[in-house]
Amino acid sequence: MVRTREQLLDEYLVASARIGDRKAFDLLARRWQGKLVAHAWRLTGDVDLAREAAQEGWIEIVRGVGRLRDERAFPAWAYQIVSRRCARRIGRLQHDRALAAAAAAEPGEAFAAPEERDAPAMARLRTAVAGLPPDQRAAIGLFYLEDMEIADVAIALNVPAGTVKTRLMHARRKLRAVLEGDA
C-alpha cells in the first residue's frame, strides 16, 4: 500500500510525539481533532457529547502515545479510543437510548467537496446516512469519509472485520434503497 504525504506526516508526528516533542503532538492534535469529533458525532448524534468524548479521548491518547509502537496504527488506535469514550458516555447518560432517533443529520462538511455542484443529491445522501443505525453510520463514515481499510475500521470499532463488512453491506443496501426511491 502506498502511503500519502498526509499519512507520512502523521506517522512522523506520532513518532516525534512519542519521544516527547510537544510541538509535534500539538500539530497532530490540530490535524486529528476534527476527524475524531466527526467520528464521535456519528456515534452519538450529539455535537456536545461528541466534543466531550473526543476531549476525553485526547487525554487517553496523550497518556498512551508513548506506548504506541507502530506509527501507522495511530488512526485506528485513536478512533478506537474515541469509540470507547462515546460508548461510556452514552452508557452513563441512558442505557436504553435509541441513538438512531437522536441523530438529526450527518455534518455537511464531512461530505462537502470544494467543487460541490449537486447540493440536493448531497442533502439526500446526508439524510440517508443520518437514518442509518449508529453502527452502520460509524462504519460508513470511517470507511468512506476517513478512507480507512476494513481492518483499521474493525480495530477502531472494536469488532471483527467480518462485522465491518456486514455493516457496510447493509448500510450500502439501505442507502441505495433510499437514494433510488425504494424506501
Side-chain angles (χ1 to χ4, degrees):
M1 178 175 107
V2 177
R3 295 191 314 271
T4 66
R5 287 182 182 185
E6 298 292 313
Q7 289 169 321
L8 291 172
L9 176 59
D10 286 337
E11 290 170 21
Y12 171 78
L13 293 173
V14 169
S16 296
R18 194 171 58 212
I19 59 172
D21 184 340
R22 176 74 178 173
K23 288 182 182 180
F25 192 85
D26 290 344
L27 182 56
L28 186 68
R30 279 195 303 255
R31 291 173 53 79
W32 279 88
Q33 176 66 12
K35 291 179 181 185
L36 294 178
V37 170
H39 175 65
W41 187 92
R42 285 189 292 268
L43 293 173
T44 64
D46 181 278
V47 173
D48 293 329
L49 194 61
R51 287 184 182 135
E52 292 169 6
Q55 186 63 34
E56 286 179 0
W58 278 112
I59 293 168
E60 190 172 335
I61 290 168
V62 167
R63 291 178 180 158
V65 74
R67 294 185 305 272
L68 185 64
R69 293 292 159 228
D70 182 2
E71 295 84 14
R72 291 176 294 181
F74 177 80
W77 178 70
Y79 284 125
Q80 182 181 43
I81 289 170
V82 172
S83 295
R84 281 195 315 261
R85 291 297 172 173
C86 289
R88 288 178 190 154
R89 284 198 155 269
I90 291 167
R92 274 185 255 144
L93 291 174
Q94 189 176 37
H95 289 290
D96 59 347
R97 178 179 172 195
L99 291 178
E106 183 72 22
E109 55 274 359
F111 284 100
E115 66 279 355
E116 188 60 53
R117 292 186 183 102
D118 194 5
M122 290 307 292
R124 285 181 56 214
L125 180 59
R126 278 193 295 278
T127 302
V129 169
L132 292 173
D135 57 348
Q136 292 175 10
R137 195 169 54 238
I140 286 286
L142 292 175
F143 187 74
Y144 289 106
L145 300 179
E146 302 302 333
D147 200 28
M148 293 178 73
E149 295 184 18
I150 297 286
D152 292 331
V153 174
I155 292 168
L157 297 178
N158 201 26
V159 296
T163 301
V164 172
K165 291 177 184 177
T166 301
R167 289 177 182 177
L168 288 171
M169 177 191 67
H170 289 297
R172 287 183 200 114
R173 192 174 293 153
K174 289 176 184 175
L175 291 173
R176 186 178 306 116
V178 168
L179 295 175
E180 290 176 355
D182 295 338

